[in-house]
Amino acid sequence: MALFLLGRRGFQRAMTAIRPYCSSVASGKKPVNGVDLYYEQTGRGKHAVLLLPGALGSTKTDFGPQLKSLAKERFTVVGWDPRGYGQSCPPDRDFPPDFFERDAKDAVDLMKTLGFGKFSLLGWSDGGITALVAAARNPDLINKMVVWGANAFVSQQDLKLYNEVRDVSKWSARMRQPMEEVYGVQVFAKLWEAWVDGIAQFVHRPEGSICMELLPLISCPTLIIHGEKDPMVPILHPEYLLKHIKGSRLHLMPEGKHNLHLRHADEFNTLVEDFLEE
């Protein structure tokens, strides 16, 4: 649900490279759970942080300001492309009923493969849902968690919003172009429809649950951020997370939309840094 709201940069296809932001970013692939997962890593701090992108998202398209500007001396920041997204192709992406559980296991196992024993999670949209699952399933590994644009269930209202953006040919060319550069015109259209079908399947579960039953298992300090102008995630979703994740807190950004970490990157980064260092 993240991608159609973004302005995106061009997609680079180098599998292994060192590229400068404010400091160098190392990138490559690691074999994890039978697939080669692409990742980027920057910073030299003791506090490891994993960035989890939104639907069809990738490190480059979703987290440029965070890789660039989160404090390198305090944090080691890792971004990744979930299986079937971005540069973690092959395999082709699919959306079985457990795709959030699969992504959560991939994310945690990638961090283990990279040598991190404990780390924090920053999850946006679908990546926020993945973070919720990962934190619930791995309480001993997760230090802290920040989620925004995430939901633990799918309502009929949500389903209506998803179906309204199903047909990418109705999007503006500006909105389509970045994803078409990543996946190609036809693949992007089919993949987006597949995602809509994938997220819609949860509406048939009791209460539309994606991970409602897992929220009480989350024990790490959790910051929920919500943009009050988010057109895709109604306020009831962050309020539900706040109520059901023990000790969590909610921060509202009055001018924030779904991609608040990109539109208001400085404010977002400062908020996250302060929370992670508490």
Side-chain angles (χ1 to χ4, degrees):
M1 68 190 73
L3 300 188
F4 77 101
L5 296 170
L6 291 178
R8 297 185 176 276
R9 300 174 182 175
F11 186 76
Q12 301 175 2
R13 297 183 179 278
M15 289 176 56
T16 303
I18 301 293
R19 301 191 316 278
Y21 286 109
C22 284
S23 64
S24 63
V25 176
S27 62
K29 288 190 175 185
K30 291 288 186 180
V32 176
N33 298 327
V35 299
D36 291 331
L37 295 177
Y38 177 82
Y39 73 96
E40 298 189 1
Q41 181 175 327
T42 187
R44 55 188 181 278
K46 293 182 179 180
H47 192 149
V49 179
L50 177 64
L51 310 174
L52 297 102
L56 278 67
S58 63
T59 296
K60 294 184 182 68
T61 57
D62 287 15
F63 289 115
Q66 286 66 54
L67 283 166
K68 178 180 179 181
S69 299
L70 286 177
K72 303 295 191 295
E73 71 280 3
R74 287 177 278 168
F75 304 105
T76 296
V77 182
V78 178
W80 75 305
D81 295 0
R83 65 169 67 203
Y85 288 167
Q87 295 193 68
S88 291
C89 298
D92 293 335
R93 180 70 184 195
D94 60 356
F95 299 93
D98 67 343
F99 74 89
F100 284 115
E101 292 272 3
R102 183 181 64 184
D103 284 348
K105 179 171 174 51
D106 283 349
V108 170
D109 289 349
L110 172 63
M111 291 298 279
K112 290 179 181 179
T113 300
L114 292 173
F116 297 104
K118 195 165 186 176
F119 48 92
S120 292
L121 303 173
L122 268 63
W124 175 36
S125 198
D126 270 26
I129 300 171
T130 301
L132 295 171
V133 175
R137 297 295 191 195
N138 304 275
D140 295 336
L141 298 179
I142 308 306
N143 188 1
K144 294 185 175 184
M145 175 169 59
V146 182
V147 294
W148 64 105
N151 49 304
F153 61 90
V154 175
S155 69
Q156 289 295 332
Q157 179 185 2
D158 298 324
L159 187 60
K160 180 180 178 182
L161 291 172
Y162 304 151
N163 282 324
E164 285 175 354
V165 297
R166 169 187 289 272
D167 184 356
V168 299
S169 69
K170 296 179 180 179
W171 299 11
S172 70
R174 179 183 59 83
M175 290 180 177
R176 293 196 310 269
Q177 181 180 0
M179 284 296 96
E180 290 175 347
E181 290 176 355
V182 174
Y183 297 106
V185 174
Q186 293 183 345
V187 171
F188 167 53
K190 291 179 180 179
L191 188 56
W192 183 258
E193 285 193 358
W195 175 81
V196 173
D197 290 338
I199 196 72
Q201 67 188 310
F202 293 102
V203 81
H204 302 296
R205 292 185 176 183
E207 299 182 272
S209 176
I210 300 174
C211 60
M212 296 167 67
E213 69 283 357
L214 296 180
L215 300 185
L217 302 179
I218 296 173
S219 58
C220 65
T222 300
L223 174 62
I224 305 156
I225 305 174
H226 180 67
E228 294 190 72
K229 294 184 178 180
D230 189 335
M232 292 299 293
V233 180
I235 185 65
L236 64 91
H237 286 297
E239 288 178 341
Y240 185 90
L241 297 179
L242 178 68
K243 182 178 180 180
H244 291 88
I245 299 175
K246 291 174 291 187
S248 61
R249 68 182 79 164
L250 174 61
H251 179 90
L252 299 177
M253 294 179 64
E255 297 302 314
K257 296 184 179 180
H258 196 60
N259 57 345
L260 56 85
H261 65 299
L262 301 176
R263 292 271 185 104
H264 307 280
D266 291 343
E267 178 183 356
F268 175 87
N269 287 354
T270 298
L271 181 66
V272 166
E273 288 176 346
D274 291 346
F275 171 72
L276 293 178
E277 292 194 309
E278 288 178 356

